[in-house]
Amino acid sequence: MSKRFGAMQRKVVLAALPLCMLATAECAAAGNGAVATRFAVLAAQTGGAIGVSPEQRLRDEMRLLLLEMIESGAFGQTPPEQISLSIDAPRERLASLGILVDSSAGSAALDGLHVLGTTPGSTAARIGLRAGDTLLSINRVSLANLGDGDGGVAKAALVLRDEVARSSDGATLDFEVKRNGTRSTISGVLAGTWIPALHLRVGDGVQLASSDAASGVADAAGCGRISIFDVAPRQRQLHAATLISIDGRRSPFDGQTSFRVSAGRHVLTVGERIDSRYLGFNDRLRNSDNGERYKTLTVEVAPDTTYSLAAQINQDKRNVWRDGAFWDPVIWHETTEPCR
């Protein structure tokens, strides 16, 4: 996946704030110094749209997001009629916290994470967290004075995200909270939420991954899809992957997250995009000549099936970078859906 698309993903998080309402700690931690301001502006815009259906709000937000992507050069010089961007995500149960914290910088979280708001009906709201609270710890893991993390955000927000991600649905969360100068412990059960499958296609262009489909006609045996859209659960040691080639063919993968292939056997060449904080060595060793940058995975594609691809950390080898021993490509989810 290119750096360009990584930037697109960050913009999706910001532009979709009125929709996701920062339903997970990860969503909260993904912000930057402008998150609080951006949230307030979007909340005001959303508040002025009372009576507008969720479907129309989604269309409006998508138009704004596409405009931002085009103006930022996300699609390069590709003519509009040739743009093809497909995003697919399987139905998934998420462990959501539903809290907005000030993650603008480590200096904003010297005494802990400051709560800016909670989503109505969320786990955070249900267990009694509220705007104005300062989170000092979660499950006895400190959230105070941790400095800056990746991307300049407060490391405490990343720790909060990871602790929630590691907690299974129904697990108890214990927060040490300072409210109005008084410390107390607030506990509650983490409640999961089912997120429906996502199928989003932008543009009229059609990009087909294999030579079988190069003419625009699917194989007589049918077709399926390979998806690298990153919704893999971190608590299962599953992380983002990059698709390098399908059956030895590269093109045109930039910005694409779903690839249509004919039914049958396909050999995928895969790279890992595991966040370095999950590994026991630095990026210099990871990218050394002794590392195995790409691995192959053979997939038997059934008709009308989408296969979600991820990079899985081998926990017993997470400190071994030589020959890429720390990871393997895996298909972690299969979804039955029409392919045409």
mmCIF file of all heavy atoms in Angstrom, residues 165-193:
data_model
loop_
_atom_site.group_PDB
_atom_site.id
_atom_site.type_symbol
_atom_site.label_atom_id
_atom_site.label_comp_id
_atom_site.label_asym_id
_atom_site.label_seq_id
_atom_site.Cartn_x
_atom_site.Cartn_y
_atom_site.Cartn_z
ATOM 1 N N ALA A 165 -8.063 -2.850 22.439
ATOM 2 C CA ALA A 165 -7.971 -3.838 21.358
ATOM 3 C C ALA A 165 -7.645 -5.225 21.894
ATOM 4 O O ALA A 165 -8.090 -6.237 21.349
ATOM 5 C CB ALA A 165 -6.925 -3.402 20.339
ATOM 6 N N ARG A 166 -6.848 -5.272 22.972
ATOM 7 C CA ARG A 166 -6.472 -6.565 23.543
ATOM 8 C C ARG A 166 -7.573 -7.179 24.399
ATOM 9 O O ARG A 166 -7.517 -8.354 24.756
ATOM 10 C CB ARG A 166 -5.203 -6.415 24.401
ATOM 11 C CG ARG A 166 -3.923 -6.423 23.596
ATOM 12 C CD ARG A 166 -2.722 -6.615 24.511
ATOM 13 N NE ARG A 166 -2.446 -5.411 25.285
ATOM 14 C CZ ARG A 166 -1.577 -4.479 24.904
ATOM 15 N NH1 ARG A 166 -0.944 -4.597 23.759
ATOM 16 N NH2 ARG A 166 -1.357 -3.420 25.654
ATOM 17 N N SER A 167 -8.572 -6.386 24.741
ATOM 18 C CA SER A 167 -9.650 -6.870 25.605
ATOM 19 C C SER A 167 -10.754 -7.508 24.761
ATOM 20 O O SER A 167 -11.192 -6.932 23.766
ATOM 21 C CB SER A 167 -10.233 -5.708 26.424
ATOM 22 O OG SER A 167 -9.229 -5.106 27.226
ATOM 23 N N SER A 168 -11.165 -8.670 25.137
ATOM 24 C CA SER A 168 -12.228 -9.345 24.404
ATOM 25 C C SER A 168 -13.585 -8.748 24.766
ATOM 26 O O SER A 168 -13.746 -8.087 25.798
ATOM 27 C CB SER A 168 -12.209 -10.837 24.722
ATOM 28 O OG SER A 168 -12.397 -11.050 26.108
ATOM 29 N N ASP A 169 -14.556 -9.005 23.915
ATOM 30 C CA ASP A 169 -15.907 -8.537 24.174
ATOM 31 C C ASP A 169 -16.410 -9.155 25.475
ATOM 32 O O ASP A 169 -16.304 -10.365 25.692
ATOM 33 C CB ASP A 169 -16.811 -8.949 23.010
ATOM 34 C CG ASP A 169 -18.185 -8.316 23.089
ATOM 35 O OD1 ASP A 169 -18.323 -7.292 23.789
ATOM 36 O OD2 ASP A 169 -19.113 -8.844 22.465
ATOM 37 N N GLY A 170 -16.902 -8.322 26.392
ATOM 38 C CA GLY A 170 -17.369 -8.799 27.686
ATOM 39 C C GLY A 170 -16.334 -8.709 28.789
ATOM 40 O O GLY A 170 -16.640 -9.007 29.950
ATOM 41 N N ALA A 171 -15.116 -8.277 28.434
ATOM 42 C CA ALA A 171 -14.067 -8.131 29.450
ATOM 43 C C ALA A 171 -14.339 -6.911 30.322
ATOM 44 O O ALA A 171 -14.982 -5.948 29.898
ATOM 45 C CB ALA A 171 -12.703 -7.996 28.778
ATOM 46 N N THR A 172 -13.823 -6.932 31.556
ATOM 47 C CA THR A 172 -13.989 -5.805 32.472
ATOM 48 C C THR A 172 -12.854 -4.808 32.279
ATOM 49 O O THR A 172 -11.686 -5.189 32.230
ATOM 50 C CB THR A 172 -14.007 -6.282 33.927
ATOM 51 O OG1 THR A 172 -15.121 -7.161 34.118
ATOM 52 C CG2 THR A 172 -14.140 -5.101 34.884
ATOM 53 N N LEU A 173 -13.201 -3.537 32.168
ATOM 54 C CA LEU A 173 -12.221 -2.460 32.079
ATOM 55 C C LEU A 173 -12.247 -1.677 33.385
ATOM 56 O O LEU A 173 -13.318 -1.277 33.860
ATOM 57 C CB LEU A 173 -12.548 -1.528 30.911
ATOM 58 C CG LEU A 173 -12.537 -2.134 29.508
ATOM 59 C CD1 LEU A 173 -12.921 -1.072 28.477
ATOM 60 C CD2 LEU A 173 -11.187 -2.736 29.176
ATOM 61 N N ASP A 174 -11.055 -1.468 33.961
ATOM 62 C CA ASP A 174 -10.932 -0.706 35.206
ATOM 63 C C ASP A 174 -10.170 0.590 34.915
ATOM 64 O O ASP A 174 -9.005 0.553 34.500
ATOM 65 C CB ASP A 174 -10.176 -1.509 36.262
ATOM 66 C CG ASP A 174 -10.936 -2.755 36.691
ATOM 67 O OD1 ASP A 174 -12.151 -2.653 36.922
ATOM 68 O OD2 ASP A 174 -10.309 -3.831 36.776
ATOM 69 N N PHE A 175 -10.814 1.712 35.112
ATOM 70 C CA PHE A 175 -10.197 3.020 34.898
ATOM 71 C C PHE A 175 -9.959 3.706 36.234
ATOM 72 O O PHE A 175 -10.852 3.754 37.085
ATOM 73 C CB PHE A 175 -11.102 3.922 34.057
ATOM 74 C CG PHE A 175 -11.248 3.484 32.626
ATOM 75 C CD1 PHE A 175 -12.310 2.682 32.247
ATOM 76 C CD2 PHE A 175 -10.334 3.885 31.660
ATOM 77 C CE1 PHE A 175 -12.460 2.280 30.926
ATOM 78 C CE2 PHE A 175 -10.470 3.489 30.349
ATOM 79 C CZ PHE A 175 -11.532 2.689 29.975
ATOM 80 N N GLU A 176 -8.748 4.236 36.401
ATOM 81 C CA GLU A 176 -8.506 5.165 37.502
ATOM 82 C C GLU A 176 -8.730 6.554 36.944
ATOM 83 O O GLU A 176 -8.099 6.941 35.952
ATOM 84 C CB GLU A 176 -7.092 5.029 38.051
ATOM 85 C CG GLU A 176 -6.861 5.902 39.285
ATOM 86 C CD GLU A 176 -5.447 5.798 39.823
ATOM 87 O OE1 GLU A 176 -4.623 5.097 39.193
ATOM 88 O OE2 GLU A 176 -5.160 6.428 40.851
ATOM 89 N N VAL A 177 -9.636 7.286 37.564
ATOM 90 C CA VAL A 177 -10.107 8.553 37.007
ATOM 91 C C VAL A 177 -9.950 9.668 38.025
ATOM 92 O O VAL A 177 -10.178 9.466 39.232
ATOM 93 C CB VAL A 177 -11.596 8.434 36.588
ATOM 94 C CG1 VAL A 177 -12.116 9.759 36.051
ATOM 95 C CG2 VAL A 177 -11.759 7.336 35.541
ATOM 96 N N LYS A 178 -9.563 10.847 37.537
ATOM 97 C CA LYS A 178 -9.581 12.037 38.380
ATOM 98 C C LYS A 178 -10.714 12.925 37.901
ATOM 99 O O LYS A 178 -10.760 13.302 36.733
ATOM 100 C CB LYS A 178 -8.248 12.784 38.323
ATOM 101 C CG LYS A 178 -8.213 13.995 39.261
ATOM 102 C CD LYS A 178 -6.808 14.537 39.424
ATOM 103 C CE LYS A 178 -6.304 15.178 38.148
ATOM 104 N NZ LYS A 178 -4.986 15.850 38.347
ATOM 105 N N ARG A 179 -11.635 13.242 38.820
ATOM 106 C CA ARG A 179 -12.799 14.074 38.485
ATOM 107 C C ARG A 179 -12.971 15.112 39.584
ATOM 108 O O ARG A 179 -13.130 14.771 40.752
ATOM 109 C CB ARG A 179 -14.053 13.209 38.356
ATOM 110 C CG ARG A 179 -15.315 13.990 38.046
ATOM 111 C CD ARG A 179 -16.519 13.056 37.980
ATOM 112 N NE ARG A 179 -16.403 12.107 36.880
ATOM 113 C CZ ARG A 179 -17.191 11.054 36.717
ATOM 114 N NH1 ARG A 179 -18.159 10.798 37.618
ATOM 115 N NH2 ARG A 179 -17.027 10.238 35.685
ATOM 116 N N ASN A 180 -12.912 16.368 39.169
ATOM 117 C CA ASN A 180 -13.042 17.473 40.132
ATOM 118 C C ASN A 180 -12.030 17.341 41.272
ATOM 119 O O ASN A 180 -12.337 17.609 42.441
ATOM 120 C CB ASN A 180 -14.470 17.528 40.699
ATOM 121 C CG ASN A 180 -15.509 17.775 39.633
ATOM 122 O OD1 ASN A 180 -15.245 18.507 38.661
ATOM 123 N ND2 ASN A 180 -16.675 17.186 39.780
ATOM 124 N N GLY A 181 -10.805 16.919 40.919
ATOM 125 C CA GLY A 181 -9.734 16.827 41.900
ATOM 126 C C GLY A 181 -9.732 15.574 42.746
ATOM 127 O O GLY A 181 -8.848 15.389 43.573
ATOM 128 N N THR A 182 -10.731 14.708 42.557
ATOM 129 C CA THR A 182 -10.844 13.493 43.363
ATOM 130 C C THR A 182 -10.576 12.263 42.512
ATOM 131 O O THR A 182 -11.113 12.129 41.407
ATOM 132 C CB THR A 182 -12.251 13.372 43.980
ATOM 133 O OG1 THR A 182 -12.504 14.521 44.794
ATOM 134 C CG2 THR A 182 -12.359 12.112 44.840
ATOM 135 N N ARG A 183 -9.761 11.349 43.030
ATOM 136 C CA ARG A 183 -9.458 10.112 42.325
ATOM 137 C C ARG A 183 -10.467 9.030 42.694
ATOM 138 O O ARG A 183 -10.875 8.919 43.856
ATOM 139 C CB ARG A 183 -8.051 9.618 42.673
ATOM 140 C CG ARG A 183 -6.938 10.502 42.145
ATOM 141 C CD ARG A 183 -5.595 9.838 42.378
ATOM 142 N NE ARG A 183 -4.504 10.626 41.853
ATOM 143 C CZ ARG A 183 -3.425 10.125 41.270
ATOM 144 N NH1 ARG A 183 -3.308 8.802 41.157
ATOM 145 N NH2 ARG A 183 -2.466 10.906 40.827
ATOM 146 N N SER A 184 -10.827 8.233 41.692
ATOM 147 C CA SER A 184 -11.732 7.111 41.946
ATOM 148 C C SER A 184 -11.513 6.062 40.863
ATOM 149 O O SER A 184 -10.830 6.308 39.874
ATOM 150 C CB SER A 184 -13.195 7.568 41.949
ATOM 151 O OG SER A 184 -13.551 8.083 40.677
ATOM 152 N N THR A 185 -12.084 4.876 41.090
ATOM 153 C CA THR A 185 -12.011 3.801 40.096
ATOM 154 C C THR A 185 -13.385 3.578 39.498
ATOM 155 O O THR A 185 -14.375 3.457 40.229
ATOM 156 C CB THR A 185 -11.513 2.495 40.737
ATOM 157 O OG1 THR A 185 -10.193 2.692 41.255
ATOM 158 C CG2 THR A 185 -11.471 1.374 39.704
ATOM 159 N N ILE A 186 -13.433 3.563 38.179
ATOM 160 C CA ILE A 186 -14.681 3.319 37.460
ATOM 161 C C ILE A 186 -14.491 2.062 36.620
ATOM 162 O O ILE A 186 -13.538 1.967 35.845
ATOM 163 C CB ILE A 186 -15.067 4.505 36.567
ATOM 164 C CG1 ILE A 186 -15.338 5.745 37.422
ATOM 165 C CG2 ILE A 186 -16.283 4.168 35.701
ATOM 166 C CD1 ILE A 186 -15.702 6.976 36.617
ATOM 167 N N SER A 187 -15.375 1.089 36.792
ATOM 168 C CA SER A 187 -15.252 -0.183 36.093
ATOM 169 C C SER A 187 -16.514 -0.481 35.306
ATOM 170 O O SER A 187 -17.610 -0.029 35.648
ATOM 171 C CB SER A 187 -14.972 -1.325 37.075
ATOM 172 O OG SER A 187 -13.789 -1.086 37.804
ATOM 173 N N GLY A 188 -16.355 -1.269 34.268
ATOM 174 C CA GLY A 188 -17.501 -1.682 33.475
ATOM 175 C C GLY A 188 -17.098 -2.725 32.458
ATOM 176 O O GLY A 188 -15.917 -2.987 32.242
ATOM 177 N N VAL A 189 -18.093 -3.322 31.836
ATOM 178 C CA VAL A 189 -17.877 -4.391 30.872
ATOM 179 C C VAL A 189 -17.810 -3.808 29.469
ATOM 180 O O VAL A 189 -18.632 -2.968 29.088
ATOM 181 C CB VAL A 189 -19.010 -5.442 30.960
ATOM 182 C CG1 VAL A 189 -18.871 -6.487 29.867
ATOM 183 C CG2 VAL A 189 -18.991 -6.101 32.328
ATOM 184 N N LEU A 190 -16.806 -4.232 28.702
ATOM 185 C CA LEU A 190 -16.646 -3.773 27.329
ATOM 186 C C LEU A 190 -17.684 -4.456 26.451
ATOM 187 O O LEU A 190 -17.764 -5.685 26.399
ATOM 188 C CB LEU A 190 -15.239 -4.114 26.822
ATOM 189 C CG LEU A 190 -14.885 -3.688 25.396
ATOM 190 C CD1 LEU A 190 -14.921 -2.173 25.264
ATOM 191 C CD2 LEU A 190 -13.512 -4.222 25.010
ATOM 192 N N ALA A 191 -18.496 -3.654 25.771
ATOM 193 C CA ALA A 191 -19.563 -4.192 24.924
ATOM 194 C C ALA A 191 -19.169 -4.067 23.455
ATOM 195 O O ALA A 191 -18.732 -3.014 23.009
ATOM 196 C CB ALA A 191 -20.869 -3.434 25.174
ATOM 197 N N GLY A 192 -19.295 -5.159 22.728
ATOM 198 C CA GLY A 192 -18.983 -5.143 21.309
ATOM 199 C C GLY A 192 -20.172 -4.678 20.480
ATOM 200 O O GLY A 192 -21.316 -4.691 20.934
ATOM 201 N N THR A 193 -19.889 -4.268 19.267
ATOM 202 C CA THR A 193 -20.921 -3.802 18.342
ATOM 203 C C THR A 193 -20.698 -4.455 16.987
ATOM 204 O O THR A 193 -19.574 -4.513 16.498
ATOM 205 C CB THR A 193 -20.859 -2.275 18.178
ATOM 206 O OG1 THR A 193 -21.025 -1.653 19.450
ATOM 207 C CG2 THR A 193 -21.965 -1.792 17.235
#
